[in-house]
Amino acid sequence: MTSPPFRQVHFFKHFFQIRELALEHVQDYIPTSIVRHLDLSIFELDTTNYINPELSETRSDVVYRTCLNNGRDLRLALLDEHKSEQPDRDVRFQILTYKNSIWLEDEKQDRRPTFILPSVIYHGRTNWKKEPFLHSFQGLPASLVRYLDDFDYLLLNLR
């Protein structure tokens, strides 16, 4: 897998660190059925580093915290992944790394687990193939499928 050019990675990271631009992205590209549950008056950049320092120059991920508008004491982290080509491995493996890191930090800070809404931004030349996570586990007996942590992610295909 080839990483996006260095400058491109920094552009997207910088772009999404600007609260107003990130908020506009959420309002324009996240489905209304999700946005309507968010209290976007509370929308702040989470500066905690959730990724391995060795990968920090090849990832443009930015995490924002917000709250649900129903009064529940929960946090919502929006995680944006910028990809210039579809990776060989399902992007969910990378997303799981973030989820685990965020939940470990929640535990360390004695907070409830954060709900994480992963969003992949794709601008590659070929179509992104969004397949069930199960496809990464070929040959898995049906009796074990229920133990697979299957989940979805939002995909913004700029192609």
Side-chain angles (χ1 to χ4, degrees):
M1 178 177 85
T2 305
S3 297
F6 185 73
R7 278 176 257 120
Q8 197 171 42
V9 168
H10 287 289
F11 168 78
F12 278 89
K13 185 168 186 123
H14 176 73
F15 179 87
F16 283 113
Q17 285 182 349
I18 300 170
R19 181 189 183 276
E20 292 76 20
L21 297 176
L23 187 56
E24 190 173 312
H25 167 75
V26 168
Q27 293 169 328
D28 290 347
Y29 295 107
I30 304 295
T32 307
S33 60
I34 294 171
V35 173
R36 70 182 174 158
H37 295 290
L38 307 178
D39 179 356
L40 294 176
S41 68
I42 303 166
F43 187 78
E44 58 189 35
L45 182 64
D46 184 348
T47 58
T48 306
N49 184 11
Y50 295 111
I51 60 174
N52 185 327
E54 293 129 28
L55 301 176
S56 63
E57 294 305 318
T58 60
R59 301 285 201 271
S60 61
D61 312 321
V62 178
V63 177
Y64 274 85
R65 291 182 298 196
T66 188
C67 294
L68 297 173
N69 63 12
N70 65 4
R72 291 188 63 181
D73 185 24
L74 296 173
R75 293 182 329 136
L76 173 67
L78 301 173
L79 185 148
D80 283 286
E81 276 298 316
H82 173 76
K83 297 290 182 193
S84 59
E85 63 182 49
Q86 187 161 3
D88 294 333
R89 292 185 73 193
D90 193 306
V91 72
R92 288 176 187 91
F93 289 107
Q94 184 179 344
I95 292 169
L96 279 169
T97 301
Y98 285 96
K99 287 183 170 199
N100 189 54
S101 296
I102 290 169
W103 291 332
L104 287 172
E105 182 66 21
D106 286 342
E107 185 177 42
K108 193 163 99 179
Q109 300 296 327
D110 199 28
R111 293 187 300 237
R112 292 186 197 189
T114 300
F115 175 80
I116 300 149
L117 178 64
S119 174
V120 176
I121 299 171
Y122 177 66
H123 72 91
R125 292 184 177 101
T126 60
N127 281 330
W128 182 278
K129 293 179 185 173
K130 192 173 181 184
E131 296 179 344
F133 197 35
L134 178 61
H135 285 204
S136 295
F137 299 87
Q138 294 296 323
L140 188 67
S143 61
L144 298 179
V145 170
R146 66 182 270 194
Y147 301 103
L148 183 63
D149 297 327
D150 197 4
F151 62 92
D152 201 1
Y153 56 90
L154 297 171
L155 175 64
L156 173 57
N157 192 343
L158 300 177
R159 183 178 177 272

